[in-house]
Amino acid sequence: MHPSELGTGDGHKKKITVLVVCSVVIASGMLLASYLILRIRKNLKEKTERSRTTVHSSRGKEEDMELPMFDLSTISRATDDFSLNNKLGEGGFGPVYKGVIDGQEIAVKRLSRSSGQGLNEFKNEVILIAKLQHRNLVKLLGCCIEGEEKMLVYEYMPNKSLDFFIFDETKGKALDWSKRFQIISGIARGLLYLHQDSRLRIVHRDLKASNILLDSEMIPKISDFGMARIFGGDQTEGNTNRVVGTYGYMAPEYAFDGLYSTKSDVFSFGILLMEIVSGKKSRGLYHQDQKGNLIGHAWRLWKEGRPLELMDACLTDSNNLSEVLRCIHRFSEKSKEYPGLIFGVVNQIGLTRVKE
């Protein structure tokens, strides 16, 4: 063969060799990349699954949530992609949306990135309320944890919250005294369960009118356990450097010194009771040319022998004035002797199991 032909053959073989080597390298690289991607996805999936099934309590121990998990896509469809038309309101945790899953109406509380409450409060609420079952506590149906999205799914309360009624002159007329007394008793039973009857002793720390939800039969349900704390064993009180809650409902020793106990909740319950009786907010102007809160106003009327003037104007035709007076009586009589403030009130309305 001519030398030039031999040279061409070697060059051709070299090209083929280079192409084969390149193909093998590229194929190996693609296989390696695919393997790495699949591995990363698997690790992310396992991490997500672990975060879905396990959370850390405030004590650092892992606890099984024992709670159904919902996919983000399911929640999104249920709320029509979090439509403004389905928005029920917004609190410190974030916005709340109405939705429907399998024909059941739900309320979805979505953790806002700008929320003053964060992941710890979210975990706290999941751990606590998943273990609590009572007619007067809102029922948690499940939660959703995907990426940065964290949501709680509750039973839907068609009558919104208590403050929606009692602080509105028109809507307040829908609550006669018998219904208000039913609500007072229901809240007291829920509180009694948290403090004494549940296997965990719970201090709510943020009991107020907006955290009392009403179902279709106006049965009250205590909600929002993001700030709640567990007491173990014989523990009766705790201390915190971070005071949370709502001014106007806070017990003095908690607001000033960070000391909280079951008595702190009972104090808040007493303020709530007076709001239900009077239709007035705990903080406001109740005396001409003088600032005052609801406790001071109630005490002043009691000393002047005019306790029934505290009663909401729409209740003046009530046939149960003696029942109203019993509620006001112990509250006003003990208002200067806190912390024994509200236990007497609860005893007076018939829930004698609550003791100081």
Side-chain angles (χ1 to χ4, degrees):
M1 295 178 64
H2 193 277
S4 61
E5 292 180 359
L6 289 173
T8 302
D10 290 340
H12 185 65
K13 288 179 181 180
K14 289 180 181 179
K15 289 181 179 178
I16 292 175
T17 301
V18 170
L19 287 174
V20 170
V21 171
C22 289
S23 298
V24 171
V25 171
I26 292 171
S28 299
M30 292 177 67
L31 288 173
L32 180 61
S34 300
Y35 171 78
L36 292 174
I37 291 172
L38 290 174
R39 188 61 182 265
I40 291 171
R41 287 181 177 177
K42 184 180 179 181
N43 289 338
L44 288 174
K45 185 177 180 180
E46 289 176 352
K47 186 177 179 180
T48 302
E49 289 299 323
R50 285 196 299 269
S51 68
R52 286 182 175 185
T53 56
T54 305
V55 294
H56 292 273
S57 69
S58 58
R59 299 178 182 179
K61 297 178 181 179
E62 290 189 350
E63 295 192 21
D64 185 9
M65 290 193 297
E66 302 174 355
L67 196 65
M69 301 298 301
F70 292 93
D71 294 327
L72 178 59
S73 58
T74 301
I75 301 297
S76 183
R77 286 194 302 271
T79 59
D80 193 17
D81 199 20
F82 303 101
S83 168
L84 287 177
N85 293 330
N86 287 327
K87 189 174 180 179
L88 298 174
E90 187 162 357
F93 185 97
V96 181
Y97 298 89
K98 179 182 177 182
V100 178
I101 294 180
D102 296 330
Q104 180 182 6
E105 291 183 317
I106 60 170
V108 179
K109 189 156 70 168
R110 188 182 191 186
L111 178 62
S112 171
R113 294 181 183 178
S114 60
S115 171
Q117 301 180 37
L119 182 58
N120 288 335
E121 285 80 4
F122 176 88
K123 292 177 179 178
N124 193 61
E125 184 154 4
V126 170
I127 292 171
L128 290 182
I129 203 168
K131 297 177 181 295
L132 301 175
Q133 296 292 331
H134 191 272
R135 187 169 185 249
N136 296 113
L137 303 183
V138 68
K139 185 177 180 181
L140 183 63
L141 302 177
C143 63
C144 173
I145 305 174
E146 284 195 24
E148 296 184 354
E149 289 285 1
K150 298 171 183 64
M151 290 172 278
L152 298 172
V153 182
Y154 291 97
E155 58 179 330
Y156 173 65
M157 297 286 105
N159 283 314
K160 301 183 180 181
S161 56
L162 182 58
D163 62 328
F164 182 74
F165 287 92
I166 60 175
F167 300 140
D168 186 283
E169 292 184 6
T170 302
K171 296 182 179 67
K173 295 177 181 178
L175 296 181
D176 58 19
W177 175 248
S178 64
K179 289 181 181 177
R180 295 192 190 207
F181 190 75
Q182 172 188 304
I183 290 170
I184 290 170
S185 301
I187 298 169
R189 281 191 293 269
L191 206 55
L192 179 66
Y193 172 78
L194 292 175
H195 291 175
Q196 293 188 18
D197 295 339
S198 68
R199 66 188 183 90
L200 302 172
R201 180 177 292 174
I202 308 296
V203 179
H204 188 280
R205 296 206 303 170
D206 197 19
L207 193 67
K208 57 183 178 180
S210 60
N211 282 340
I212 304 299
L213 304 183
L214 302 170
D215 69 7
S216 58
E217 298 177 356
M218 303 301 283
I219 294 173
K221 314 266 187 176
I222 299 174
S223 70
D224 199 344
F225 287 79
M227 304 298 181
R229 288 294 179 268
I230 300 174
F231 278 174
D234 297 327
Q235 185 183 4
T236 58
E237 66 178 31
N239 186 284
T240 180
N241 293 323
R242 181 184 174 221
V243 175
V244 296
T246 305
Y247 288 109
Y249 293 91
M250 286 185 188
E253 75 278 9
Y254 177 52
F256 295 117
D257 301 319
L259 294 172
Y260 62 89
S261 66
T262 53
K263 293 180 182 180
S264 308
D265 280 352
V266 179
F267 180 91
S268 301
F269 169 70
I271 301 300
L272 185 55
L273 186 150
M274 286 296 97
E275 289 184 331
I276 295 172
V277 169
S278 67
K280 296 181 175 66
K281 295 183 178 181
S282 61
R283 302 177 73 190
L285 182 64
Y286 299 112
H287 196 266
Q288 187 176 4
D289 300 327
Q290 185 178 348
K291 291 183 179 180
N293 56 27
L294 190 56
I295 293 179
H297 181 58
W299 176 244
R300 186 164 44 250
L301 291 177
W302 180 258
K303 288 193 300 182
E304 295 173 359
R306 300 180 292 133
L308 288 178
E309 290 184 23
L310 183 68
M311 188 170 58
D312 195 330
C314 67
L315 300 176
T316 52
D317 295 332
S318 173
N319 294 322
N320 296 299
L321 294 181
S322 60
E323 212 168 54
V324 177
L325 271 174
R326 285 212 314 272
C327 289
I328 299 173
H329 175 208
R330 291 296 291 178
F331 180 92
S332 300
E333 189 179 61
K334 293 290 183 179
S335 63
K336 298 298 182 182
E337 303 174 17
Y338 180 78
L341 177 60
I342 315 304
F343 292 96
V345 176
V346 180
N347 288 331
Q348 283 291 317
I349 66 174
L351 299 173
T352 54
R353 293 175 61 205
V354 177
K355 298 179 181 179
E356 184 172 355

